Amino acid sequence: MRLIPLIIGCLSLLSQVRAQTVDGYTFLLDGKPEDPYWLQVDSAALSAGDVIFIRDIPLCLDEPGIYRFEVKDGLVHRIFGDGRSVVVACEVNGKYDESLPEEKRYNGNPLIINPLSGMSDAALKSLRGVSIDVWSKDVAKQLEKLDLEHVCIRVQAWALHDCLPPLPKGVRTLILHSGGGWSCKDMSGFRRLQHLRLLELKDTMPGKFDFEVLRGMPLEYLSLPWAHEPSHLEVLGSFDKLKTLAANHCSFLGDGRWIAQLTNLRTLYASHVRSASDGDPVALDLAALSGLQKLREIHVQSTPVKSLPSTPMPALTRVSLLLSNAPTEDIDALARANPQAVISRSMNAQLSAQLAKADRILVRTGGVCHRRAEREKVIVESRDAAVIAELAEHFTINEDSSGGHCMCCGNPTFEFYQGDKQVAMVAFHHGQSIRWADGTWPGDGILKEQSSTYLVEWLAKNNYTGSREELFEGRRQAAAQRRRDSRISSLLPAAVSEGLSTAESLDQATAAFEKHVPDVKSRASLYLRLFGCEDSTWALSTGMDGTLQETWLPGIPKETLQAVILAASIPSEESMGAARWVFGLNHTDLIKQDGAALTKLARFALTHPRQSNRWRTLAVLRDTGTPEAVSLLRQVMRQGTQPRELEKDQIFEPGGQMTLYPNNISLPYETSDTAAAALCLALLGDAETKAEVEKVRTSLPEAARKKWAEAISRKK
């Protein structure tokens, strides 16, 4: 499973683009060299029967040669040397009637767009790939006419639904893509497919998968599904013809010793394998694979590895062990026994080797994906060998904490060149981590503190301060998290803390509270204190916040939680948690029948030092609409609020997940609480304050009046 490297050259006289031939194959798309993704059965070489993807449409290869493709109207044409154009792949998909109103558009079945229906028998035999999004009886009949020995069939999305459709028995190459979780409960459709050579299941995520339905298949390539509850795993060891096993991200491999039964195996992909439970993952015992004399490649990046082979394996050419935590002595023994194999063990060593080739550096704004070239700016461009060497020296990561994946594309980006050839493109993330976009790392690298500091200061000296600001923000968030963790630790009884430290599941963590704080009122009080331990933004969920709001507080009987909230003294951490629960999460049903209690807690919430929480309280009072709630809104409009001063050590907050409340107040942040309350009254249509509300509205800046008008319009 690799990308075909292409070298683009120019013939000086003809100015023609040439593509390098790889394993006897040359690919061009619309006259330009193409670099297709492929599924390779045997790692020795690309060969007939392997699958390539052209514009995301898979198709099987024939014998080596020049493959010129053109894509027109969803059809992949192959242009032969004699000028013939033959359709070799197509898509069967569905289209809804765009002329219908949206509420009616998706009620019925989509119109099936099926190019197979207009093809002659000879044209159907020429197909090497069919991708099916919508299934029908006509599609089923046409598939029977394909050259099933040489065609790849992909079934996905609408066509897959809850079961495997009745595919032709002679299918040899099959790719399934559920487009998300696959709710299939009947896997029996696999049993008829007793000729499968290549089966790709990695893009299915079934809740359960019974591998018994695959027994007896002559599989040479198998990509396993991401199944939560697999069964009959012993079948996996029975595929004695298997050459490639792709098991990335699969949590059910156990210690992997059963892989040794796959005596014809050439390539093993088992990267990013983690335990599906909350317990420690089972490390792969790869020493058991020493007897696989045909094994060429082992890829176990970001997967716990207990042992490695220590004996000669003559076919072995490559072992990827980045972030595997494999024992150093085992890696050394593997290397000594197999000097012919390239063993990747260090992310730092791999990147350093590439950067050492560079004789030019280009640093630009923007990341390594979703690029907007027209907006990018060059920060530094240099050919100074000393500058490049010193800079490269500081791309040093802490491999023990690396391997995650930031959701952004990074900014800025360092591009290293050898002559005109780019040897590495590295994005800088938030002043703390880097992503080698075109490298082989299994995830992002967390920079060592010295490297992080050097890079942000180097950029600042070159008039780019964004990374330094992001770094300082990250450090402030980390310090805030330590402060918060310390406060939570001080609130937890010692026995509960000990129970939480050894808990391996949410149930065990819950049991720790219930065992050591058996009185339900005391437990409710503790939960509220934990939930309100700081004057933080209510919409920010960090640490145990999510579990408190989703599991522990809802687990308290309603009448008990109500009593504890009503009894909470003000001010206190308990009342801060109560305000966050009642107004932050809109649980006013607990106390709105008691007007005095609602008023008391709301007045306290309206003293919160963070405006977002005060406005959330106003919005919830608006939606509650009781006489007491409306009275409070009138008071705030007329008198404003008196927020508490935020303690200096709480100015900065930890990182976490922010929740956006659709019913909040959409005025500019610099707008007063008085105006926010007035808008709430306007949305309620409060007749008593109509003139006062209009006076507040007309006094606002234009931007605030515009937002006000939008809010009123949305209500209508």
Side-chain angles (χ1 to χ4, degrees), residues 494-508:
V496 174
S497 292
E498 184 177 353
L500 293 176
S501 67
T502 58
E504 296 184 351
S505 67
L506 177 57
D507 288 343
Q508 290 181 14

Side-chain angles (χ1 to χ4, degrees), residues 169-183:
K169 293 181 179 180
V171 173
R172 293 274 283 159
T173 303
L174 178 63
I175 298 173
L176 301 184
H177 193 314
S178 63
W182 189 23
S183 58

Side-chain angles (χ1 to χ4, degrees), residues 338-355:
N338 297 278
Q340 80 285 356
V342 175
I343 299 177
S344 302
R345 62 167 76 184
S346 167
M347 293 170 69
N348 278 315
Q350 283 195 332
L351 180 59
S352 178
Q354 284 298 105
L355 300 189

Side-chain angles (χ1 to χ4, degrees), residues 564-571 575 579 583 591 594-607 617 621 628 632:
V564 173
I565 289 173
L566 291 174
S569 61
I570 293 177
S575 60
F583 298 108
I591 63 171
D594 187 332
L598 178 72
T599 300
K600 177 182 176 183
L601 188 60
R603 280 178 173 165
F604 174 61
L606 288 168
T607 67
T617 302
L621 287 171
E628 293 81 8
L632 267 175

Side-chain angles (χ1 to χ4, degrees), residues 208-381:
K208 298 180 180 181
F209 194 92
D210 185 356
F211 285 102
E212 181 63 33
V213 298
L214 306 185
R215 188 184 293 276
M217 291 182 179
L219 291 169
E220 297 180 35
Y221 178 102
L222 174 61
S223 173
L224 299 179
W226 298 0
H228 300 297
E229 297 181 44
S231 56
H232 290 99
L233 292 172
E234 72 279 1
V235 173
L236 295 176
S238 68
F239 298 123
D240 56 6
K241 293 182 175 61
L242 199 66
K243 295 178 180 179
T244 294
L245 175 64
N248 294 335
H249 300 281
C250 294
S251 60
F252 49 79
L253 302 184
D255 62 12
R257 293 177 62 85
W258 57 269
I259 299 172
Q261 301 173 57
L262 306 176
T263 54
N264 270 295
L265 195 66
R266 271 73 161 173
T267 307
L268 170 65
Y269 295 100
S271 294
H272 302 281
V273 172
R274 288 289 184 265
S275 173
S277 67
D278 294 326
D280 293 331
V282 178
L284 295 181
D285 192 356
L286 299 183
L289 307 187
S290 60
L292 298 181
Q293 295 301 295
K294 298 179 182 179
L295 190 61
R296 296 192 185 99
E297 298 184 13
I298 301 174
H299 301 267
V300 285
Q301 300 189 127
S302 289
T303 293
V305 172
K306 176 182 178 182
S307 69
L308 292 167
S310 59
T311 58
M313 301 175 69
L316 196 64
T317 61
R318 184 179 178 190
V319 183
S320 301
L321 295 168
L322 300 179
L323 304 185
S324 68
N325 295 321
T328 301
E329 58 273 18
D330 281 28
I331 301 176
D332 293 340
L334 175 66
R336 285 194 301 270
N338 297 278
Q340 80 285 356
V342 175
I343 299 177
S344 302
R345 62 167 76 184
S346 167
M347 293 170 69
N348 278 315
Q350 283 195 332
L351 180 59
S352 178
Q354 284 298 105
L355 300 189
K357 302 174 183 178
D359 55 24
R360 178 167 71 95
I361 178 72
L362 173 67
V363 187
R364 59 169 173 80
T365 59
V368 294
C369 56
H370 299 88
R371 292 181 60 179
R372 299 287 296 274
E374 70 278 5
R375 296 185 179 181
E376 294 174 359
K377 297 180 180 180
V378 174
I379 300 170
V380 175
E381 185 171 12

Side-chain angles (χ1 to χ4, degrees), residues 19 82 85 104 244 259 270 273 314 339 350 405 412 572 597:
D82 58 7
S85 175
K104 297 181 179 180
T244 294
I259 299 172
V273 172
Q350 283 195 332
H405 190 86
S572 66

